[in-house]
Amino acid sequence: METANANSNRRYAVFLSYRHADNKEQGRQWATWLHQVLEGYEIPADLIGTKNNKGDAIPPSLYPVFRDEEELPADADLTRNIQQALERSGLLVVICSPRAAESRFVTEEIRYFKELGNSDRILALMIDGEPNVSDDAGKQKSGIPSAAECLPEPLRYGVAAENGTIDWSRRTEPIAADARPGGAPEQGWTTAAAYREALLKNGKIDEREVARKIREYDERLELAKLKVIAGALGVPLGILTARDKAMQLQKAKQRARALRRWLAAVAILGLLAVAGGVFAWRQKQTAQAAQSLAEKEKSRAQAAQEQAEKEKSRAEEALLKTRAALSQSDFLAATRSLEAGRVSDALAQLARSLSFNPRNEASLFRLTTLLTYRNFAAPLQYLKVEGQVQSAQVPPDPEVSESAKSILGKNAPTWDAEKQPPPMHPMFKDDPDTVRLFSLSPDERRLFVFSDYHLAQVWDAWTGAAIKPPFKYGDRGDSSTTFLSPDGTRAVSVGGAVIRLWDTQSGKPVAVLAEMSNQADTTAEFSSDSKLLAATQGESLSLWDAQSGSVEGTAGARRNDQPHPV
């Protein structure tokens, strides 16, 4: 809507009236050509602002030009928009051809413009056909048909009366510019180049005749252009032609001066190029000498590098031999360690052998075999230890794995917190404690840990994960000794003046088995099936049911009372 309003309020220097068929063929797009010629024409500076024949000031340009294909929106009301554009245009230029003469729209545009009182502001540009042939019997007798008429009827008829009305019966002669080749009733071309191409396609005219026709047509087309522009400006054609020639001459002089300056600059650049060439030649000679010297130095450097690489290769070869010898030495030492049963030493020696020579297949095969067919200890959890672990128990089964023996038997006394301080285990986070006893179940799947403060916990010996939270199995401060049943379900603590039986699954006491007077003379042991518990106090021996805590029998002293349930 804003674009439509802007167009409706816009004033145009020229309105182009034409038949769209005259703006389609390549090289004969007359409306487009005339549109560009008018808007792009540079008006001589000494004419701008002066008064023309109608008393109007000559504008600095003929912009804008109205052409319906350029100015009207796609959804415009054509009739009203065309009328508004005509009302706001200073000049009507009709592109005349037999096709335009037949156009109802071109006819209506001319009639409306004349009815606005602008009969003296109409120009015709003839591009094809013959003017007035439809009314001239002589032209028709000469062989030009009446259908070749190029002037629409409102251009040939219609004279304005003094009262402003139009007498459409009176004949008039419009001002016309002729763009037809030689003035003949045939269509011309918008450029001399397009006309030349059309002549060459004919093939019946020699090159000199083509050149002559092109020159003549170029002059005719230029004259037609200036005639339309003179009419648009309202100045005589002669004045515009003279001023245009003077302007073109001035431009030619300016181009000549620019060309001379350009040639002078090129000459200076040429001299500089010559001087630069001489300098470059000298620099090239110097560079070539320097390059020759550099190549010699490079050859010497390459020779030195090759020598250094040879020395490096010899050194690397010697190093490889040395490493291979060390690797073989460690392999032999590992073989002797295995024969002597020192598996840990053999592992270290094989690892060092492969670090010296990763391609020692014998060491690699022996290490792979050793790691595949033997079990080695690997810590699963770290527990706080202050000093040495007092004891570690494994089942009396001779088939217990080497891994279990290594963890609980051989290495238990070496887990010293000062040498290998582990992070604080969650079991002792709120109540710092120290490990007193490790005990492994016969199936090697559960590990029991008893602390000095009578806290106990059951662990998965294979994964290192706690099976259940810690439980209290005695009174804090008791200096008791703890014994675990072979199946791991019962524990007995000897201390605090009593012998107490515990359920390790629930962490609760089962019974107080007996009172004692001297802990040093008291010891306890479960049967291999974990069903019975025997304890000695001095010369007395007692036997209890390990599940209920009931007394099974005594020997060597007075029988104690039945155990006290807890």
Side-chain angles (χ1 to χ4, degrees):
M1 183 61 70
E2 292 179 1
T3 303
N5 291 337
N7 288 339
S8 65
N9 296 326
R10 192 177 192 180
R11 296 202 62 83
Y12 298 96
V14 178
F15 184 105
L16 295 183
S17 179
Y18 63 99
R19 184 75 178 266
H20 286 185
D22 292 328
N23 198 44
K24 292 184 178 298
E25 184 181 352
Q26 187 69 25
R28 287 173 168 169
Q29 295 173 331
W30 291 101
T32 301
W33 169 78
L34 187 56
H35 190 171
Q36 295 171 351
V37 163
L38 293 175
E39 287 191 343
Y41 181 72
E42 184 178 352
I43 298 174
D46 56 351
L47 288 179
I48 298 174
T50 62
K51 299 295 182 178
N52 60 14
N53 296 337
K54 299 178 178 61
D56 300 327
I58 296 177
S61 71
L62 292 174
Y63 178 88
V65 173
F66 181 89
R67 179 160 62 95
D68 57 359
E69 290 178 315
E70 293 288 330
E71 297 293 332
L72 293 181
D75 58 348
D77 180 350
L78 294 180
T79 301
R80 183 57 194 144
N81 278 274
I82 291 295
Q83 289 176 351
Q84 289 179 346
L86 287 167
E87 293 167 2
R88 289 172 172 79
S89 297
L91 180 72
L92 175 65
V93 176
V94 183
I95 299 176
C96 298
S97 70
R99 294 167 294 281
E102 296 175 350
S103 172
R104 176 175 63 86
F105 298 102
V106 173
T107 299
E108 291 179 354
E109 289 168 358
I110 298 171
R111 290 179 66 90
Y112 188 74
F113 197 71
K114 279 189 173 185
E115 289 171 353
L116 293 174
N118 297 324
S119 297
D120 59 342
R121 295 176 179 268
I122 301 176
L123 292 175
L125 174 65
M126 295 185 295
I127 63 168
D128 192 10
E130 182 69 20
N132 299 315
V133 68
S134 60
D135 301 327
D136 192 332
K139 288 185 178 181
Q140 294 179 15
K141 288 181 180 180
S142 66
I144 304 175
S146 60
E149 178 64 61
C150 66
L151 298 179
E153 184 177 353
L155 280 182
R156 293 181 284 119
Y157 294 91
V159 177
E162 292 181 357
N163 61 1
T165 62
I166 305 297
D167 184 357
W168 295 106
S169 63
R170 294 180 60 185
R171 189 173 185 82
T172 182
E173 291 293 335
I175 301 174
D178 194 352
R180 300 173 300 166
E186 61 179 86
Q187 186 174 185
W189 303 84
T190 56
T191 64
Y195 185 41
R196 175 185 176 84
E197 184 178 352
L199 291 175
L200 292 177
K201 284 183 178 179
N202 190 0
K204 298 180 180 180
I205 307 176
D206 60 25
E207 187 65 30
R208 285 181 297 180
E209 183 66 14
V210 169
R212 184 187 64 79
K213 285 181 173 291
I214 292 300
R215 183 172 59 254
E216 291 177 354
Y217 184 70
D218 194 30
E219 294 174 355
R220 174 177 285 271
L221 191 62
E222 180 68 16
L223 181 61
K225 178 187 77 172
L226 291 176
K227 195 169 184 179
V228 173
I229 294 173
L233 296 177
V235 298
L237 177 61
I239 293 177
L240 180 63
T241 303
R243 299 294 177 85
D244 185 76
K245 286 182 178 179
M247 184 178 67
Q248 298 302 328
L249 180 60
Q250 182 66 23
K251 287 184 177 180
K253 290 180 179 179
Q254 292 175 353
R255 288 194 295 268
R257 285 195 298 269
L259 179 60
R260 285 194 297 271
R261 287 194 295 268
W262 181 79
L263 290 175
V266 170
I268 294 173
L269 291 176
L271 292 175
L272 292 176
V274 172
V278 173
F279 178 76
W281 178 80
R282 290 181 178 177
Q283 290 296 106
K284 180 180 180 182
Q285 297 298 318
T286 303
Q288 287 177 345
Q291 182 180 2
S292 177
L293 179 61
E295 289 178 352
K296 291 179 180 179
E297 292 295 333
K298 181 180 178 181
S299 298
R300 285 196 291 268
Q302 287 178 344
Q305 183 179 0
E306 290 175 357
Q307 183 64 27
E309 289 178 353
K310 290 180 181 178
E311 294 294 335
K312 180 182 177 181
S313 298
R314 285 195 290 268
E316 289 177 348
E317 184 178 354
L319 178 61
L320 290 176
K321 289 182 179 179
T322 301
R323 294 177 67 88
L326 292 173
S327 177
Q328 187 63 19
S329 175
D330 279 332
F331 170 72
L332 296 176
T335 302
R336 291 191 292 272
S337 296
L338 287 174
E339 291 175 354
R342 299 191 301 274
V343 178
S344 298
D345 292 346
L347 280 175
Q349 290 159 349
L350 289 173
R352 188 170 63 182
S353 172
L354 290 174
S355 69
F356 284 136
N357 182 15
R359 297 184 178 182
N360 190 331
E361 295 182 357
S363 295
L364 181 61
F365 177 76
R366 184 60 60 89
L367 179 62
T368 302
T369 303
L370 192 61
L371 292 175
T372 302
Y373 294 101
R374 294 206 182 192
N375 294 323
F376 295 96
L380 298 175
Q381 284 283 354
Y382 288 102
L383 303 177
K384 177 183 174 184
V385 179
E386 295 180 357
Q388 294 186 350
V389 176
Q390 294 183 5
S391 63
Q393 296 179 354
V394 295
D397 187 348
E399 298 299 325
V400 172
S401 70
E402 290 292 331
S403 176
K405 290 182 180 179
S406 175
I407 293 175
L408 297 175
K410 179 179 179 181
N411 292 339
T414 65
W415 290 356
D416 192 303
E418 295 179 356
K419 297 179 181 179
Q420 189 179 357
M424 180 67 67
H425 193 274
M427 174 178 172
F428 308 107
K429 180 177 180 182
D430 299 322
D431 187 10
D433 205 346
T434 57
V435 175
R436 182 178 185 84
L437 171 67
F438 291 102
S439 186
L440 188 67
S441 63
D443 59 3
E444 304 179 21
R445 297 188 65 89
R446 289 179 297 170
L447 175 66
F448 296 86
V449 181
F450 299 91
S451 72
D452 270 346
Y453 288 171
H454 296 271
L455 288 176
Q457 190 166 11
V458 184
W459 304 85
D460 188 319
W462 288 12
T463 65
I467 296 177
K468 60 179 296 181
F471 62 86
K472 190 173 181 300
Y473 69 91
D475 296 327
R476 184 166 181 168
D478 288 351
S479 57
S480 61
T481 302
T482 304
F483 302 93
L484 186 66
S485 65
D487 61 4
T489 61
R490 290 291 186 269
V492 62
S493 59
V494 180
V498 295
I499 300 175
R500 184 177 284 107
L501 183 66
W502 299 87
D503 182 346
T504 61
Q505 305 299 314
S506 64
K508 297 180 180 180
V510 177
V512 175
L513 301 181
E515 297 179 353
M516 60 183 179
S517 57
N518 186 359
Q519 178 178 342
D521 294 337
T522 304
T523 184
E525 186 173 356
F526 287 92
S527 63
S528 60
D529 58 3
S530 300
K531 293 182 178 181
L532 297 177
L533 169 66
T536 61
Q537 299 183 63
E539 296 179 356
S540 174
L541 172 65
S542 300
L543 189 65
W544 289 275
D545 185 319
Q547 300 302 313
S548 63
S550 60
V551 177
E552 295 294 329
T554 59
R558 177 177 58 85
R559 178 171 177 171
N560 293 334
D561 296 332
Q562 290 292 326
H564 307 288
V566 179

